[in-house]
Amino acid sequence: MCGIVGAIADRDVVPVLIDGLKRLEYRGYDSAGIAVVADRDVRRVRRTGRVSEMEGAAQAEGVHAQLGIGHTRWATHGGVTEANAHPHISHGVALVHNGIIENHEQQRERLQQLGYVFESQTDTEVIAHLIHHYLKQGDPGSSPGQAPGNGLLAAVQRTVKELHGAYALAVISRKEPDRMVVARMGCPLLVGLGEGENFVASDVSAIIQATRRVIFLEEGDTAELTRDAVRVFDGDDRPVQREEHLSDVSLASLELGPYRHFMQKEIHEQPRALGDTMEAIIDAGGFEPTLFGRDAESVLREVDGVQILACGTSFYAGSVARYWIEAISGLPCSVEIASEYRYRQAVANPRHLIVTISQSGETLDTMEALKYAKSLGHDRTLSICNVPESAIPRASRLVFYTRAGAEIGVASTKAFTTQLVALFALAATLAKLHGRLDPEQEAGYLEALRHLPGSVQHALNLEPQIASWAEKFAPKQHALFLGRGVHYPIALEGALKLKEISYIHAEAYPAGELKHGPLALVDAAMPVVVIAPNDTLLEKVKSNMQEVRARGGELFVFTDADSNFNESEGVHVIRTPRHAGVLSPIVHTIPVQMLAYHAALSRGTDVDKPRNLAKSVTVE
């Protein structure tokens, strides 16, 4: 969602801020701005729309400084206006904020009584005024280990103790032009370490051009950055040391290269991403518990069920995994949307394994669902994530890191398919530990994994045919997706991708449910996409297709090379490689991603940054 970047250096930081904001554009936003301290004053430039528009304004105004902060905003409180754009300023204090402050209305009323005038509808402006309020009061006394008289740091530390909700903050003041103060609770924030300069960002991609040395701030941390030092304090304002990490994000992964969009690039990167993710499995020669952590064997051997918590595309990955886990390991598995689980009175079974899935590792609803599960007594927890050292893996007992690399497009592609590899490995490992996977079956699964990148590449080679289909989809307003069994979640994922980036309304159903209501929608104007691999349910799916044709519906069928399908009037067929067996859902994901991409391309939508959506969802 919103993005933060900040810098303090002996050089002009404005180019660093703008470059960082451009690298954060993939997260989704509708306005951008920077604020700097120069000549003992705060200068601010904000614009709705793209970062490039704000960049032009900053150049026109000749903004230069050695201390500054920047932000891309995804509107929550208040509409998309320049007045609501970040940074927000209160009497020389400027800040940027990711997250949502739940008690902002009470704080707004209090601050208005103190004489503060609000210029925006945002919850963020409350924080700026609170910090200024405590700066005026001075530092009444230092917390243990805190340097006395450090006005901005003390004011921020007092302020955050009055905030309810989630936040990542970067704050500067015209009265302290040699420092920046940052804080986090519930939203990601990291510090980048340089030589004679330091940085802050919500995502390492924003500062990777300046440094690879990073510190991930923990929940409740505040930190003070000067050119030569970084001091970190915990939630009780005590000084702490946080481990330094060397980021392995490559600049090449953040560049578009020969592709038209990041989504297209990331679709085509899937053979490599899948190969990298399964490398540890292949190298281990089997499905070893150590893939998930040191004490994974004792944890996984003792579980008698699995509960998966996730949102969006990750929820659909979990939905595929349910079929695998129950069929392969024999353990019961439930899958729940994290934002629903966290607010219901769940009945806990501490012997169940709680699996959370998140590309970013910072998805707020999933993180809060994990906290809720742990509060109910679940201590067997596993995170499947693409970002090392992010919040959800750090809060989990076991971790499997997918190796998809940086995913820039808002619509998830390679993160989804690598999650499926991780979940298949979990299903096989649980089966092995519970005596349901013999050596011959294990060898067969390993062989299927070895062939997977090649099968995916063959599916990618279908792009010209799928692009031709997409031209037929572009004028449509609605579409249905059908699948059965383990491929039903792939139909769900296909419908989600189509509506996310092309804005064509799409829904997915288990094919057997067609006659229980959705069939009423079918006519010549309603294209119906069918996932129809050559598995045990193929004949059932064929019957459902006949129901569509009898009502004049037009069918677009993704099947396998060894399926007995023929094209006819109103029935279009594209064949993926020969049936991929148990891993077929991964192969059949590729065509539905391609269909969505090319339909969006034909409609002229913003493929990588679809309207109203964000990449990393760190608010409710």
Side-chain angles (χ1 to χ4, degrees), residues 443-462:
Y445 288 158
L446 285 172
E447 189 65 13
L449 283 174
R450 289 190 184 98
H451 283 99
L452 181 62
S455 295
V456 167
Q457 185 58 58
H458 283 303
L460 289 169
N461 295 340
L462 299 170

Side-chain angles (χ1 to χ4, degrees), residues 109-289:
E109 184 177 339
R110 168 194 170 194
L111 288 162
Q112 285 173 330
Q113 292 174 354
L114 291 171
Y116 286 93
V117 177
F118 284 79
E119 299 177 353
S120 76
Q121 301 166 295
T122 68
D123 53 342
T124 301
E125 193 176 2
V126 163
I127 310 172
H129 290 320
L130 267 178
I131 293 172
H132 177 259
H133 170 66
Y134 285 123
L135 271 175
K136 282 198 308 181
Q137 289 190 351
D139 186 1
S142 301
S143 299
Q146 180 182 307
N150 196 340
L152 185 60
L153 174 63
V156 170
Q157 289 175 331
R158 291 186 69 184
T159 295
V160 296
K161 288 176 174 55
E162 298 192 19
L163 303 179
H164 301 160
Y167 57 79
L169 304 174
V171 190
I172 57 177
S173 170
R174 67 185 178 195
K175 291 187 177 180
E176 300 186 39
D178 57 352
R179 77 189 68 246
M180 178 192 312
V181 176
V182 301
R184 73 149 291 193
M185 177 67 75
C187 293
L189 198 66
L190 57 91
V191 173
L193 306 175
E195 297 296 331
E197 56 188 21
N198 288 302
F199 310 89
V200 64
S202 52
D203 186 318
V204 70
S205 64
I207 56 172
I208 196 67
Q209 80 282 8
T211 183
R212 294 184 178 277
R213 297 166 53 214
V214 298
I215 294 172
F216 296 98
L217 297 182
E218 300 284 346
E219 291 285 271
D221 280 357
T222 54
E224 179 190 69
L225 285 67
T226 63
R227 290 174 180 80
D228 300 313
V230 173
R231 296 195 302 159
V232 182
F233 303 85
D234 65 16
D236 294 320
D237 301 338
R238 292 187 292 258
V240 291
Q241 295 291 324
R242 299 296 184 212
E243 185 179 356
E244 181 181 324
H245 300 267
L246 191 64
S247 173
D248 62 358
V249 173
S250 71
L251 283 172
S253 69
L254 305 175
E255 302 296 339
L256 191 56
Y259 297 96
R260 295 183 66 176
H261 298 91
F262 278 106
M263 183 179 180
Q264 184 187 33
K265 177 188 179 189
E266 288 155 12
I267 289 172
H268 281 272
E269 286 176 339
Q270 285 174 110
R272 178 201 54 77
L274 292 166
D276 289 347
T277 298
M278 68 179 69
E279 182 179 17
I281 305 168
I282 302 299
D283 288 349
F287 299 96
E288 299 300 325

Side-chain angles (χ1 to χ4, degrees), residues 405-426:
E407 190 178 65
I408 305 301
V410 166
S412 181
T413 52
K414 59 180 179 174
F416 176 70
T417 50
T418 54
Q419 286 169 356
L420 289 177
V421 167
L423 289 161
F424 179 77
L426 175 63

